[in-house]
Amino acid sequence: MHKKALELMLFKGLNDRPPKMEYPTSVEFVQHNPSLINTWLGDKRPLNTLEIGELFAGIERNAIGLILLMGLIQVTKDKEIKNYLLKGKKLCENQLESFDRLLKENDNFIGFPTTMEVTNSIVSPFSERLIMFFIGSTNQVGVSTLGNALSITMRKDLATTWSLFIVDVMKYGGEGFKILVERGWMEQPPQPIDRKEFYKS
């Protein structure tokens, strides 16, 4: 099913293609062993394939997130939750702009349509509780994927970018968690036995 969907998207020109590079004709090895300080504080080098891949994946994820948030903002009636979703939209836009700029600086260009994916409906298919739970789950995935991107980069500007966005996403997730708790929507995860209570009796 995934293959058929991908083929249809390619046929209709709807599939986003990642940046391309020349296929290597030979194996190359690193000729020097830079110190950690030089790696972080030295001159910028061109992006490698792993870094380009993470930037493209970040753009893909945030484009999907932006479309989702645009739709949810449009149908949400609760003012507090709408304001929270608007903050998430701004966070997505900041990441998209940052990742796109880094790719363009490396002469890799991509484009993606977003607004065409959102209809003019104002009827919410989901409750505010489910919306908040879903956004919280996507925040968790966002921190994980940004952490993975940070772990493979060796350029100081990229490492700084990933680190700052991790902080932003965690802060945004914390605000959402507060809303869930205040409204009594946050279920307590299963807890282990508190044996200290037994020791007191």
Side-chain angles (χ1 to χ4, degrees):
M1 181 62 71
H2 174 72
K3 183 178 179 182
K4 288 182 179 179
L6 183 59
E7 289 175 349
L8 182 60
M9 291 173 69
L10 288 169
F11 176 75
K12 292 183 173 290
L14 299 175
N15 189 53
D16 295 330
R17 296 178 181 271
K20 294 183 178 180
M21 61 172 286
E22 291 295 320
Y23 193 82
T25 57
S26 61
V27 177
E28 296 183 9
F29 295 92
V30 177
Q31 298 299 317
H32 65 288
N33 185 22
S35 68
L36 183 61
I37 292 179
N38 287 335
T39 300
W40 283 78
L41 303 179
D43 295 332
K44 288 194 294 187
R45 52 157 179 76
L47 297 170
N48 62 38
T49 54
L50 293 174
E51 293 161 345
I52 291 173
E54 288 298 331
L55 287 169
F56 176 75
I59 289 174
E60 289 277 277
R61 287 190 298 271
N62 280 279
I64 294 171
L66 182 60
I67 293 169
L68 174 68
L69 285 164
M70 288 171 62
L72 294 177
I73 291 166
Q74 191 169 291
V75 300
T76 300
K77 302 297 188 295
D78 188 293
K79 188 171 182 62
E80 183 182 25
I81 293 177
K82 179 169 286 194
N83 288 335
Y84 177 69
L85 298 178
L86 284 167
K87 287 183 180 180
K89 179 176 178 288
K90 182 63 177 176
L91 182 56
C92 276
E93 290 170 343
N94 289 342
Q95 291 189 55
L96 284 167
E97 291 171 7
S98 180
F99 300 160
D100 190 52
R101 174 181 52 78
L102 286 164
L103 284 177
K104 286 179 179 178
E105 289 175 358
N106 204 62
D107 293 332
N108 291 287
F109 300 92
I110 67 168
F112 49 89
T114 56
T115 54
M116 68 174 63
E117 305 290 343
V118 183
T119 69
N120 61 353
S121 173
I122 57 172
V123 179
S124 179
F126 311 117
S127 66
E128 274 85 7
R129 180 176 180 175
L130 183 58
I131 289 172
M132 289 299 298
F133 175 79
F134 186 74
I135 297 301
S137 299
T138 58
N139 287 335
Q140 294 171 354
V141 173
V143 172
S144 175
T145 54
L146 288 168
N148 179 69
L150 174 62
S151 71
I152 66 170
T153 188
M154 297 193 306
R155 258 181 52 167
K156 62 184 184 299
D157 57 330
L158 273 181
T160 302
T161 297
W162 299 128
S163 299
L164 291 175
F165 279 132
I166 288 173
V167 173
D168 289 342
V169 173
M170 291 184 71
K171 181 180 178 182
Y172 179 67
E175 293 177 14
F177 182 81
K178 182 180 179 182
I179 293 174
L180 287 170
V181 172
E182 289 177 348
R183 297 190 178 210
W185 290 349
M186 187 67 193
E187 295 183 21
Q188 177 76 21
Q191 301 291 311
I193 297 173
D194 185 2
R195 301 192 182 279
K196 291 182 181 179
E197 291 297 322
F198 296 141
Y199 302 154
K200 293 178 183 178
S201 59

